[in-house]
Amino acid sequence: EIVLTQSPATLSLSPGERATLSCRASQSVSSYLAWYQQKPGQAPRLLIYDASNRAAGIPARFSGSGSGTDFTLTISGLEPEDFAVYYCQQRSNWPLTFGGGTEVEIK
Amino acid sequence: QVQLVESGGGVVQPGRSLRLSCAASGFTFSNYGIHWVRQAPGKGLEWVAVISYDGKNKYYADSVKGRFTISRDNSKSTVYLQMNSLRSEDTAVYYCAKDDSGGRGFDSWGQGTLVSVSS
C-alpha cells in the first residue's frame, strides 16, 4: 500500500497569506495525485486532479505541482473560506489511499 | 445537478451486519464508477471500496476485504455496501463518491451516513 505523508499537520496563517502544503508518497505515484478540501460537517470537495489540474469551478488561487513522490498544493492569498482541512489522495495503485490531512487554521 | 444520497447507517452491535445505499441522480449513472470513503470521528479520510461503471470490477481496502461487498443496480441508479462482521473500528461516517469522467478524482460526494458499531 502506498503511504501518503502530509506536512505540516497544521498551518497557522492569516487571510491574504500564501499557504504551501506538502504531500509525500512512499513510492512513485507518477502524476496520479488529487487534492481535496474539507470543511467541518461537510463532505470533501475535489480541488486538483492529476497533480496540477484544477477541478471545475475551483478558483485560480489553488494550484498543484509535483510528480513522482513529492507534491505541493499552494493557495496564493488565503480567503476566509479557505480555512479547512486538505487531503491528498493517490490513484496510482490499489488500494487507493489518502494522506492524513493538513489543517489550515486562522492565525 | 449531480446528487448522491446515502442511507442505511445506524447503531449496530459488533459482529452484526448493515447495508448502506447510495442513490444517485443528475447524471448518467451507468457511465461512472462509484466509491465508498469513510471517516472515523475526528479522523482523516479512508478509501473503502470502488465498483466500476458496469459492476464488473471491484476493489477493496485491506481493512474491509472479505467482510464488505460493494454492488450496484444501474436500473435503480443505486450502489450498495454490504457490511458484515462489523467491528468497533468500522465506526465512521460513510460517504459515497462519484468518479470524474477520467477516474482522476472524486468529483461529487454525498452528505454521508453515520455507522456506529457498539455493544
Side-chain angles (χ1 to χ4, degrees), chain B residues 20 22 33-37 47-52 55 57-60 64 67-73 78-83 96-97:
Chain B
L20 305 183
C22 170
I34 301 292
H35 301 254
W36 287 97
V37 176
W47 176 79
V48 173
V50 62
I51 187 165
S52 61
N57 296 300
K58 305 172 187 179
Y59 296 93
Y60 299 92
V64 307
R67 300 188 299 123
F68 290 12
T69 301
I70 191 170
S71 61
R72 68 189 295 158
D73 184 340
T78 301
V79 169
Y80 305 97
L81 187 68
Q82 177 67 42
M83 305 186 295
C96 60

Side-chain angles (χ1 to χ4, degrees), chain A:
Chain A
E1 158 175 327
I2 295 177
V3 176
L4 300 178
T5 302
Q6 292 188 240
S7 61
T10 305
L11 199 50
S12 298
L13 295 169
S14 300
E17 289 192 299
R18 181 185 188 93
T20 303
L21 288 66
S22 174
C23 176
R24 178 163 290 175
S26 58
Q27 65 189 76
S28 177
V29 299
S30 186
S31 293
Y32 299 133
L33 190 103
W35 290 93
Y36 298 85
Q37 176 194 66
Q38 187 179 34
K39 297 179 182 179
Q42 296 185 16
R45 176 175 70 145
L46 177 65
L47 298 175
I48 301 285
Y49 63 88
D50 288 351
S52 61
N53 298 281
R54 275 189 304 278
I58 301 304
R61 65 180 180 273
F62 291 92
S63 63
S65 63
S67 66
T69 61
D70 289 297
F71 300 86
T72 301
L73 174 70
T74 301
I75 312 171
S76 60
L78 283 163
E79 298 287 342
E81 62 267 28
D82 299 336
F83 291 92
V85 180
Y86 293 83
Y87 295 94
C88 56
Q89 175 251 322
Q90 66 82 21
R91 67 176 182 94
S92 174
N93 282 25
W94 301 106
L96 307 187
T97 50
F98 286 91
T102 291
E103 180 182 7
V104 178
E105 66 172 21
I106 299 176
K107 186 173 182 180

Side-chain angles (χ1 to χ4, degrees), chain B residues 26-40:
Chain B
F27 63 101
T28 305
F29 180 76
S30 58
N31 286 355
Y32 292 91
I34 301 292
H35 301 254
W36 287 97
V37 176
R38 68 184 180 183
Q39 187 167 36

Side-chain angles (χ1 to χ4, degrees), chain B residues 70-104:
Chain B
I70 191 170
S71 61
R72 68 189 295 158
D73 184 340
N74 283 348
S75 69
K76 295 182 178 179
S77 297
T78 301
V79 169
Y80 305 97
L81 187 68
Q82 177 67 42
M83 305 186 295
N84 299 332
S85 303
L86 283 161
R87 306 167 179 167
S88 58
E89 54 264 36
D90 296 318
T91 294
V93 173
Y94 285 73
Y95 297 99
C96 60
K98 168 188 163 291
D99 261 337
D100 82 341
S101 57
R104 301 164 300 188

